[in-house]
Amino acid sequence: MFASGTDTGHESAGVVPMRFVWPYGGRSVFLCGSFTRWIDHIPMSPMEGCPTVFQVICSLTPGYHQYKFIVDGEWRYDEHQPFVSGNYGVSNTVFLPREADVIPATFSPTGPGRSSMDLDDVFVHSVREFIESDMFSRICGISDADLEVSRHRVSAFLSTHTAYELLPESGKVIALDVKLPVKQAFHILHEQGVPVAPLWDFSKGQFVGVLSAMDFILILRELGNRGSNLTEEELETHTISAWKEGKLHLRRQIDGNGRSDPRHLIHAGPYDSLKDISHKILSGNVSTVPIIHSSSQDGSFPQLLHLASLSGILKCICRHFRHSASTLPILQQPICSIPLGTWVPKIGESDPRPVAVLRPNASMGAALSLLVQADVSSIPIVDENDSLLDIYSRSDITALAKDKAYAQIHLDEISIHQALQLGQDANSPYNGQRCHMCLRSDPLHKVMERLASPGIRRLLIVEAGSKRVEGIISLSDVFRFLLG
């Protein structure tokens, strides 16, 4: 964002971060436009790894804007972007739709099942799948042939290796009985440092589902709902199975239909290929898949061997190709040169995809609503300059189970910053592992190695120095890219 003295109308309307790019070189490049009253000159910085490409991210109000570049002291405009002739000569133009035209209906403040939210605290940033212009691709691009060769080799590796390779030499896998009280179950998740656990039904003699941090989020939102049938006292004795039944009813209310279609447990066997398991995780939109083995033909007496995740599979890929990186040409490519993840849109790009960020003073209720409605695992927390401060993840919610902290707070009265302070615990496995960042110039292999670490599901792409959020790359983004 530029100087606060510039009248951009930020006080009365939401803003949209846009990336302005000058890809034609120069010693010094500045941006100037109607949004700076044609007075202030905003300095642009060379991109890491592409010194002839200059960029700057500015937060603009919706509407019509004109802009030009000052390159080595001369006024210039980009002939490859829309332009008009006016009082300031030939200028480039951009039109940003109103926030209501950008944000999907699921983000509507009056949508069903949504708690009240302070829109001054919540910004839904428009981003889209990153596909650069032809000129930028020529500077930092990868050929289609190299891409196809790399994808073929990754696919061949995943197809010929099984879930057995994911099993650790030693370790533990936690499962919960469906008759366990919900409050006790989430206390176990917090104490054991795991965000998800399979559910065992003794009467059926099989695993029937999973309990995750998202379940606790839905429960807390239900407790905060005045019309809720679930009280804090009932939570002490409310069993997991009873909650799962109630969750079906809650889902029908949120979806606005009367269908009752409980999701079946997505699982795999030890002989299933890593490629099949990857597809199950992606198509099922789940974070883990239990690896279950039974020596009986009828599937009785199942044994829970492991919880497979994309990070574990990615670790196998990194380990296999670590000493033969040349066989995968894409590994050395900077992430800015490949269609991977979601990025703040460039001027001229259309069809933005929303991604949510929060201010630190946003309410806990606002954060939980975004986690549910945006269907994301974490939300960046940024300051007034869109610089990264922290991140709030689904797994952070289990910290509120400790000492019944959930019963002592009101979701719409406690800020997300205060909630994170409550959740800080020296013994917590999440402590000190909050913001996982990378730069646009980082090579793909470095990003993959970071994402292969346990507990990391996404990396925030930040601008060097300012730490402005430029985009997000998730585990699922990487696998969709690698598998084509």
Side-chain angles (χ1 to χ4, degrees), residues 280-302:
K280 285 185 176 183
I281 294 176
L282 293 174
S283 61
N285 192 28
V286 294
S287 60
T288 59
V289 168
I291 305 299
I292 299 174
H293 174 66
S294 175
S295 56
S296 304
Q297 292 184 349
D298 59 359
S300 58
F301 305 106

Side-chain angles (χ1 to χ4, degrees), residues 103-112 114-115 117 119 373:
I103 302 173
T106 54
F107 282 86
S108 171
T110 58
R114 182 186 180 96
S115 63
M117 184 181 301
L119 293 181
Q373 297 179 12

Side-chain angles (χ1 to χ4, degrees), residues 130-366:
F130 181 66
I131 301 177
E132 286 288 6
S133 65
D134 291 340
M135 176 168 291
F136 194 77
S137 296
R138 287 197 296 270
I139 297 173
C140 304
I142 181 174
S143 69
D144 291 340
D146 285 345
L147 179 58
E148 290 307 312
V149 167
S150 299
R151 283 175 169 170
H152 174 75
R153 288 172 177 162
V154 170
S155 179
F157 167 76
L158 294 177
S159 299
T160 55
H161 292 73
T162 67
Y164 262 121
E165 299 196 26
L166 301 176
L167 305 185
E169 294 183 1
S170 63
K172 62 181 179 181
V173 183
I174 297 174
L176 303 174
D177 192 289
V178 293
K179 298 301 182 182
L180 197 67
V182 169
K183 186 248 181 180
Q184 184 179 350
F186 285 113
H187 185 78
I188 293 174
L189 291 183
H190 172 65
E191 290 297 318
Q192 297 297 323
V194 294
V196 61
L199 300 176
W200 171 259
D201 190 326
F202 183 80
S203 62
K204 297 180 180 179
Q206 61 184 13
F207 294 96
V208 294
V210 296
L211 188 74
S212 68
M214 180 56 78
D215 286 297
F216 198 23
I217 291 174
L218 292 175
I219 288 175
L220 290 183
R221 294 182 74 228
E222 184 70 4
L223 286 174
N225 183 0
R226 293 181 179 179
S228 171
N229 294 320
L230 181 63
T231 65
E232 294 174 5
E233 292 76 18
E234 289 175 330
L235 189 59
E236 299 289 332
T237 57
H238 210 65
T239 64
I240 297 175
S241 59
W243 158 246
K244 288 297 184 179
E245 289 293 330
K247 183 180 178 181
L248 287 178
H249 175 70
L250 182 62
R251 184 181 297 161
R252 289 197 297 268
Q253 287 182 326
I254 295 177
D255 294 342
N257 59 61
R259 292 183 295 106
S260 177
D261 49 351
R263 295 181 62 177
H264 297 288
L265 175 65
I266 300 174
H267 65 280
Y271 301 106
D272 288 355
S273 72
L274 296 182
K275 185 175 182 179
D276 288 341
I277 296 175
S278 300
H279 281 300
K280 285 185 176 183
I281 294 176
L282 293 174
S283 61
N285 192 28
V286 294
S287 60
T288 59
V289 168
I291 305 299
I292 299 174
H293 174 66
S294 175
S295 56
S296 304
Q297 292 184 349
D298 59 359
S300 58
F301 305 106
Q303 293 179 300
L304 178 62
L305 303 179
H306 186 61
L307 292 181
S309 65
L310 292 180
S311 63
I313 299 175
L314 188 59
K315 187 175 182 179
C316 289
I317 295 175
C318 294
R319 183 170 59 241
H320 179 78
F321 290 101
R322 182 167 296 148
H323 301 295
S324 58
S326 60
T327 63
L328 292 184
I330 60 173
L331 291 183
Q332 300 302 325
Q333 289 294 319
I335 56 175
C336 66
S337 69
I338 51 182
L340 176 67
T342 55
W343 298 66
V344 171
K346 288 198 324 174
I347 292 297
E349 291 182 337
S350 59
D351 298 329
R353 188 173 80 174
V355 63
V357 299
L358 289 170
R359 300 292 191 227
N361 58 347
S363 71
M364 183 72 173

Side-chain angles (χ1 to χ4, degrees), residues 1-8 40 42:
M1 296 175 68
F2 29 83
S4 57
T6 303
D7 182 11
T8 60
D40 295 336
I42 305 172

